[in-house]
Amino acid sequence: MSVVSARIRARRREQRAKVLISAAAFLVLGFTFLLFAYLVVEVLPLVRPARLAPLSEVSSREAVLAFPGELPGSLWVVSTKGVVRLEPQGEEVVLPGMVPPVAQVAADRWGRWLGVVDAEGLKVFPLRFRASFVGQDRRLALKVGTALGAPGARVKVLALGGEGEPVVVGVNSGGTWLFRASGGELSGALLTPVASQAAAVDDKGSAVWLAAGRDVQLWDGAAGALLAVAPLPAPVTTLSLLLGDTTCLVGDEAGKVRAVGAYREGESMLLESFAVFSGKGPVLALAPSPRSKAFAILHPKELEVAYLTSRRVLARQPVVMEGRADLAFSPRGDRLQVADRSGKVAIFSVDLGHPEATLTTLFAKVRYEGYRKASWTWQSTGGSNAFEPKLSLVPLIVGSLKGAFYAMLFSGPLAFLAALYTSQFAPSGLRRWVKPAVELLAGVPSVVVGLVAALVLAPWVARHLWTLLVAFFLVPGALLAAGWLCELRPRAWQLALQRRWERLLTFGILVVTAGGVAVLAPASEQLLFPGGFLEFLHGRLGVSYDQRNALVTGFALGFAVLPMIFTLAEEALSNVPESLANAALSLGASRARAAWTVVVPAAAPGLAAALLL
């Protein structure tokens, strides 16, 4: 009975162990599935398409021109009597010093300046918005500053800009005029006797873009000098500067929008188109996003939102517009406002998603703003909102492969040779402390290795690059020379001298070589490269040296993985049956030949596993 009960208890223990092992396996699979599901949920926003949908409509009792509002379903409008009103709430602010009737009203793209042409002439008002809360309701208060005027200037305002002081571009029968603040007023200067049909001014007021017929012109806003001209295939209808003021969007009558960049070549400027977006019907208005490189395009029957970096039209929405209309993003970039001349404003909700991450921007060459050629570039963050994310994964993948290659180039041969010597040639006493000592290196955290490599190793390598290159060739040569000298000695000396003398000779030659390299390499660098080796690379060969390069990365990574390769390789070599090596020795092979021709091939699977791991 005791034997039967013991068997029953053993079977029950086996069943419980089986249940526990199965439960643990299912638990691991469940956590793996949850991790996969979490990654999918995190990645899904990258592939979600942009959305552009009608939100509301606001109508005014008068013919007005709208500029960007902040509250959902509302916007600021300016009446012909010079009254700024928040529609549909009805809050009003009277523009000081206005002389009705108002002939024209224009606002800059970010809502900081309001240009008004009244009975006296051109006036520019600074605008400031302040938010307040009444309970849970958010309200905006508009503060209008003192106007700067140009009495008698009867012009049509094309563009406003500038940060601290306003810059205005206007046209009349005499041509295109540039107005700047001077002595509390606006002083005008004639840029060109040709009346431009569109204009754009950057935030600093230093660059003015004009459209005259089929030409796009770039002017120096301070000196009033023409910098560059670019002809286009169709007459230009509208201009707008993208966020960052380095790219000018040019819309034409053929329905195309071109991204034109300004590049310096020597002492002159060059305008070059590097992206084209096609649409249906002439371009009526353009509006840049205040948060990204997206922009809105208004055609007579369609509203589009495009993204410059990926060269894609993200979303389309049907609209009906007769004649020229006004288009603007809200300050948060989540709404679009389209206003016609009758005072009706259509408001659309905008959700761009992540247009900067597409298969093209992740894996293909992209020509970014300021670049003359397409390139693979990774730069995920910048110092301002105008930064253009560069998310190419190719540099990361290639950099990882380069780092792995240099790491294997350094750690692979060193670890394999050390494992071969330890398992086949080293005395048992040396083997007992070498293997544990190398395995202790595996406990060094990789973060510490990377920190030391970045803060200590990289600057040191930059200062002694020529010395390292010389040592890279001389030290292995010295080791080979030491082995060759040991083989050249007479047979009687080989029998008389013990192996320790061979090691002492090799170590002595290595020390002498290292000392010679440390002394002679700096002298040879000053002799061959008077300004330094790095200066020679940069000045003569055009190669710029970065301290944190793939070579340093490979060395640090190789140091981190060397203990693992050594341990696995040594175990694979030690597990080869001694009978195989003894058979080779009995046939007359030397210890080294037996190791290379018998032990290493037998341990090849384990060596390959060590390298892959």
Side-chain angles (χ1 to χ4, degrees):
M1 285 296 292
S2 60
V3 174
V4 174
S5 60
R7 289 180 177 178
I8 292 175
R9 288 195 298 270
R11 187 176 303 172
R12 289 176 178 175
R13 285 195 299 268
E14 292 177 358
Q15 290 177 351
R16 287 195 296 268
K18 183 178 180 180
V19 171
L20 290 176
I21 293 174
S22 300
F26 281 111
L27 189 63
V28 171
L29 291 177
F31 276 111
T32 304
F33 175 77
L34 290 177
L35 178 61
F36 177 76
Y38 171 77
L39 294 177
V40 170
V41 170
E42 290 296 316
V43 171
L44 278 180
L46 295 179
V47 299
R48 180 172 54 82
R51 293 192 290 267
L52 178 63
L55 184 63
S56 62
E57 285 190 0
V58 179
S59 297
S60 176
R61 297 184 297 270
E62 305 176 74
V64 297
L65 181 133
F67 56 91
E70 179 70 19
L71 301 177
S74 65
L75 67 153
W76 297 92
V77 298
V78 183
S79 71
T80 56
K81 296 180 180 180
V83 178
V84 183
R85 184 169 53 250
L86 178 62
E87 295 284 3
Q89 282 81 354
E91 299 177 12
E92 295 184 350
V93 176
V94 179
L95 296 176
M98 289 296 302
V99 180
V102 174
Q104 187 200 2
V105 181
D108 73 319
R109 51 185 171 151
W110 308 133
R112 294 177 301 188
W113 301 101
L114 181 65
V116 179
V117 180
D118 61 3
E120 291 183 344
L122 174 63
K123 296 178 182 178
V124 178
F125 296 88
L127 303 177
R128 298 294 182 268
F129 297 95
R130 291 184 179 179
S132 62
F133 289 88
V134 179
Q136 298 295 326
D137 297 331
R138 185 171 183 266
R139 296 181 178 273
L140 285 180
L142 175 63
K143 302 296 182 181
V144 180
T146 304
L148 296 175
R154 308 299 300 176
V155 295
K156 175 184 178 182
V157 178
L158 294 182
L160 290 86
E163 291 180 331
E165 298 290 345
V167 177
V168 184
V169 177
V171 295
N172 57 17
S173 58
T176 303
W177 296 78
L178 179 66
F179 295 88
R180 302 183 68 94
S182 175
E185 293 186 350
L186 294 175
S187 60
L190 182 65
L191 282 182
T192 171
V194 179
S196 303
Q197 66 265 31
V201 181
D202 68 352
D203 283 342
K204 296 180 180 179
S206 58
V208 177
W209 296 74
L210 299 180
R214 296 174 180 264
D215 294 339
V216 175
Q217 304 171 358
L218 175 61
W219 291 76
D220 187 337
L226 180 62
L227 300 178
V229 179
L232 297 178
V236 179
T237 58
T238 182
L239 296 179
S240 180
L241 287 173
L242 204 60
L243 180 66
D245 293 339
T246 60
T247 299
C248 183
L249 302 173
V250 183
D252 58 29
E253 291 184 355
K256 294 183 178 180
V257 177
R258 289 176 170 83
V260 179
Y263 306 92
R264 184 171 294 278
E265 286 193 347
E267 298 297 328
S268 60
M269 296 292 293
L270 173 67
L271 300 183
E272 186 176 1
S273 174
F274 61 92
V276 180
F277 300 83
S278 299
K280 299 178 181 179
V283 179
L284 302 180
L286 292 169
S289 170
R291 298 296 181 93
S292 66
K293 297 301 178 180
F295 57 95
I297 309 171
L298 181 62
H299 298 280
K301 296 184 179 180
E302 192 172 51
L303 176 63
E304 299 176 340
V305 177
Y307 195 77
L308 177 64
T309 306
S310 59
R311 312 294 195 268
R312 294 172 55 230
V313 175
L314 305 178
R316 291 182 172 90
Q317 181 67 33
V319 295
V320 177
M321 287 292 160
E322 298 294 338
R324 184 173 174 82
D326 295 297
L327 177 66
F329 267 96
S330 66
R332 295 183 179 180
D334 57 352
R335 293 192 313 282
L336 266 173
Q337 301 169 354
V338 183
D340 61 16
R341 294 303 179 185
S342 65
K344 184 178 72 172
V345 180
I347 302 177
F348 298 86
S349 63
V350 181
D351 184 3
L352 299 180
H354 297 276
E356 68 276 6
T358 64
L359 291 178
T360 300
T361 58
L362 293 179
F363 297 103
K365 284 186 175 182
V366 177
R367 180 175 175 178
Y368 300 98
E369 282 186 312
Y371 287 62
R372 297 301 301 277
K373 295 181 180 179
S375 63
W376 290 297
T377 306
W378 170 268
Q379 188 180 1
S380 60
T381 58
S384 66
N385 292 331
F387 170 74
E388 179 181 19
K390 305 171 182 64
L391 303 180
S392 176
L393 297 181
V394 174
L396 304 184
I397 296 174
V398 173
S400 300
L401 294 178
K402 285 173 59 180
F405 172 76
Y406 287 125
M408 292 298 100
L409 194 65
F410 162 72
S411 63
L414 189 61
F416 284 158
L417 293 176
L420 182 63
Y421 175 80
T422 303
S423 63
Q424 302 297 320
F425 300 97
S428 58
L430 181 64
R431 186 184 308 170
R432 279 196 299 269
W433 70 267
V434 165
K435 185 177 179 182
V438 175
E439 290 178 349
L440 281 177
L441 295 177
V444 178
S446 58
V447 175
V448 176
V449 175
L451 182 65
V452 173
L455 299 183
V456 179
L457 180 63
W460 188 88
V461 171
R463 293 193 301 267
H464 304 88
L465 181 60
W466 174 250
T467 303
L468 288 177
L469 292 178
V470 173
F472 180 77
F473 292 99
L474 291 186
V475 172
L479 292 176
L480 292 177
W484 180 65
L485 290 176
C486 292
E487 290 295 328
L488 284 182
R489 60 186 178 169
R491 182 66 176 173
W493 289 16
Q494 295 182 14
L495 296 176
L497 295 178
Q498 298 180 3
R499 183 164 300 193
R500 72 179 63 176
W501 295 104
E502 296 180 358
R503 294 197 290 269
L504 289 176
L505 175 64
T506 302
F507 183 74
I509 293 177
L510 185 61
V511 170
V512 172
T513 303
V517 169
V519 174
L520 298 178
S524 64
E525 181 179 9
Q526 294 298 325
L527 180 63
L528 298 176
F529 315 104
F533 184 61
L534 296 182
E535 183 63 27
F536 170 79
L537 291 178
H538 181 71
R540 294 292 185 87
L541 304 181
V543 178
S544 59
Y545 180 83
D546 188 2
Q547 283 191 5
R548 296 175 177 86
N549 51 52
L551 185 64
V552 176
T553 302
F555 181 82
L557 182 60
F559 179 82
V561 301
L562 190 148
M564 179 182 295
I565 300 177
F566 170 83
T567 300
L568 297 177
E570 198 276 337
E571 290 179 355
L573 294 169
S574 299
N575 289 333
V576 175
E578 293 186 3
S579 58
L580 295 179
N582 293 334
L585 295 175
S586 64
L587 293 177
S590 64
R591 187 69 180 176
R593 183 171 294 276
W596 280 108
T597 59
V598 176
V599 178
V600 171
L607 299 180
L611 187 63
L612 291 176
L613 288 177

